[in-house]
Amino acid sequence: MNATVQARAAAPVLHADPFTRAFMDDPYPGFAAMREAGPVLWSPQYECYVVARHDDVQRVLSEWQTFSSAAGVGLSNFNKEKPWRPPSIVLEADPPLHTRTRTVLARTMTPGIVKQLRERFEREAEILVDRILDLGEFDGVTDFGELYPTKVFPDALGLPQQGRENLLPYGSMVFNSFGPQNEFTQAAFANADAVRGWIMANCTRQALTKDGLGAIIYAAVDSGELKEDEAGMLVRSFLSAGVDTTCNAFGNLLWCLATHPDQWNKLREKPELARNAFEESLRYEGPAQCFFRTTTQETEIGGVKVGADEKVCAFMQSANRDSRRWERADEFDIERRVVGHMGFGTGIHGCVGQPIARLEGEAVFAAFARKVKTIELAGPPKRLYNNVLRAFSSLPVRVTRA
């Protein structure tokens, strides 16, 4: 028995398949079983290691020297397989390349820029909430969760208005591709050429406005920090990472408030809790379930030796429900101190757009708390099945005006 086989045999076996409808319908018992089984598990089905406890997930996502992103943040190993698109030069990169590209992206998210965006985001939030109150009954996904992030963020980026219906299918392609090649991946790629064509055409310098966040990225080409094609890839990174996740987070928080009337009453009484409510929903019912890393050398996780060039799946949403880290981990509490949740990832690859996402969540749900009196489900929700994202495809909601 060689060292690799011995190492795999030393880890408890993960028998569950996390990339199925049955698991996705209610992943939390499965996550709990993973955490109890041990600090690291071996999945013979996907030939990867799995970590599900908070401390181990945090370590795998933070120690980039040992757990690399450059071989892909999905199940596919770029050391052995050709990716379906050029690897992201920020998400699927390690330093020094990651340092160079992340530095440029960080310029678009400074406190000054976020402050400039606040008035516009708050105005659009008021319009959105007034619109759903006029409806009374609405779909929390299509009428609420998807409308706002597909408008305010692309507006801020400087993206053309026409064709934005391609944004969500593109995100679906990206996130599903991080998992195995299954029915969800096949469905996401059904119209791949048209979607990819629109994205490629509209992330160019010529397609973007001259006063948006995209223009800040292209300015780095003029200063010699980036090449023209690299700037286009960074704009595309924004679109894959900054739209779907926020849309899904909105739907998930709406569901949390509709099904936890005590927490909804807290938010109504204190609309200033909106930002913390958004953070707690990312912990309790976060959209981003997992990402993968690839070991650069032999290492040890929880006493198990893991060889080099092995895929490790880090379940962030399991970490967010780990009772080793959180008291009452399975309770939704908008007054909880939420520091340390994995909803935005962690380490050098922590979500670069989180200041914008937080601004969006705070603006919308503060307006919601001020203007809405009651919220309840108007019918059974329907689950959206995605290899990496947890979300609803439909969420019937009924509200009344304050």
Side-chain angles (χ1 to χ4, degrees):
M1 188 183 291
N2 65 34
T4 299
V5 175
Q6 281 183 324
R8 293 173 177 179
V13 173
L14 174 63
H15 296 288
D17 185 348
F19 302 105
T20 61
R21 292 171 185 261
F23 190 95
M24 294 174 187
D25 282 336
D26 184 11
Y28 298 109
F31 288 153
M34 288 183 200
R35 293 192 300 269
E36 291 311 304
V40 61
L41 291 76
W42 171 252
S43 170
Q45 180 174 5
Y46 296 115
E47 295 192 331
C48 71
Y49 288 94
V50 172
V51 292
R53 296 178 182 177
H54 185 278
D55 287 354
D56 300 306
V57 168
Q58 186 173 47
R59 181 193 164 204
V60 167
L61 296 182
S62 299
E63 292 182 10
W64 63 266
Q65 298 94 332
T66 302
F67 302 99
S68 169
S69 296
V73 297
L75 178 60
S76 176
N77 187 338
F78 295 172
N79 295 332
K80 302 173 182 176
E81 307 167 51
K82 185 180 178 181
W84 66 276
R85 58 171 171 77
S88 165
I89 55 175
V90 61
L91 182 65
E92 295 161 327
D94 294 326
L97 172 59
H98 176 269
T99 306
R100 177 165 64 86
T101 55
R102 178 91 179 201
T103 299
V104 174
L105 283 180
R107 277 183 217 142
T108 68
M109 300 287 157
T110 64
I113 287 175
V114 173
K115 186 177 180 182
Q116 288 173 23
L117 294 173
R118 178 173 287 276
E119 183 181 348
R120 188 196 315 173
F121 279 29
E122 289 178 344
R123 184 174 65 249
E124 291 292 342
E126 299 276 338
I127 293 170
L128 174 72
V129 175
D130 286 339
R131 181 179 176 278
I132 62 162
L133 280 167
D134 289 341
L135 292 172
E137 280 193 24
F138 62 97
D139 191 302
V141 176
T142 55
D143 297 326
F144 180 81
E146 293 178 354
L147 278 188
Y148 184 86
T150 57
K151 173 166 177 49
V152 297
F153 185 63
D155 282 356
L157 195 59
L159 205 67
Q161 294 283 341
Q162 191 171 1
R164 289 188 184 180
E165 65 275 6
N166 290 290
L167 291 172
L168 292 174
Y170 180 66
S172 179
M173 286 163 55
V174 170
F175 283 103
N176 274 302
S177 72
F178 294 148
Q181 293 293 313
N182 57 14
E183 59 173 313
F184 312 128
T185 317
Q186 291 168 4
F189 278 77
N191 193 32
D193 289 344
V195 171
R196 194 161 33 196
W198 185 88
I199 293 289
M200 296 288 284
N202 287 279
C203 290
T204 61
R205 188 196 295 250
Q206 295 74 24
L208 298 167
T209 61
K210 295 188 181 347
D211 59 352
L213 304 181
I216 296 175
I217 293 173
Y218 274 99
V221 177
D222 302 330
S223 65
E225 295 169 90
L226 294 176
K227 298 173 184 174
E228 192 83 12
D229 63 327
E230 289 179 327
M233 291 177 78
L234 288 187
V235 174
R236 291 199 295 279
S237 293
F238 265 146
L239 297 181
S240 58
V243 179
D244 287 57
T245 47
T246 312
C247 293
N248 297 338
F250 275 28
N252 290 356
L253 176 50
L254 199 63
W255 176 83
C256 288
L257 294 172
T259 55
H260 295 80
D262 59 325
Q263 299 304 309
W264 165 239
N265 288 332
K266 281 185 190 177
L267 185 58
R268 273 201 71 208
E269 290 166 9
K270 294 182 177 178
E272 63 271 20
L273 286 173
R275 176 162 169 169
N276 205 66
F278 185 64
E279 298 281 348
E280 169 67 348
S281 73
L282 292 177
R283 183 202 69 83
Y284 179 77
E285 192 71 6
Q289 300 291 288
C290 65
F291 280 116
F292 291 76
R293 296 291 188 264
T294 308
T295 54
T296 59
Q297 59 195 9
E298 187 180 281
T299 187
E300 193 173 288
I301 305 174
V304 175
K305 286 184 178 178
V306 177
D309 206 28
E310 294 276 17
K311 278 287 175 176
V312 182
C313 180
F315 274 101
M316 290 115 65
Q317 192 50 33
S318 173
N320 283 339
R321 292 286 194 105
D322 188 354
S323 58
R324 295 166 186 79
R325 175 64 177 79
W326 313 97
E327 291 183 11
R328 301 174 294 106
D330 290 321
E331 291 181 26
F332 176 65
D333 179 4
I334 67 169
E335 292 180 300
R336 181 192 300 272
R337 189 170 180 271
V338 207
V339 176
H341 75 76
M342 296 287 146
F344 289 118
T346 191
I348 65 168
H349 287 283
C351 175
V352 70
Q354 55 188 284
I356 297 284
R358 287 187 167 110
L359 175 58
E360 291 181 53
E362 180 183 3
V364 167
F365 286 95
F368 201 89
R370 289 193 305 270
K371 290 172 174 280
V372 175
K373 182 180 181 182
T374 62
I375 172 176
E376 61 182 355
L377 295 183
K382 292 180 182 175
R383 178 64 52 198
L384 175 71
Y385 295 102
N386 183 295
N387 280 324
V388 169
L389 299 179
R390 179 162 175 78
F392 296 102
S393 64
S394 178
L395 184 65
V397 175
R398 183 182 300 115
V399 291
T400 58
R401 196 180 297 272

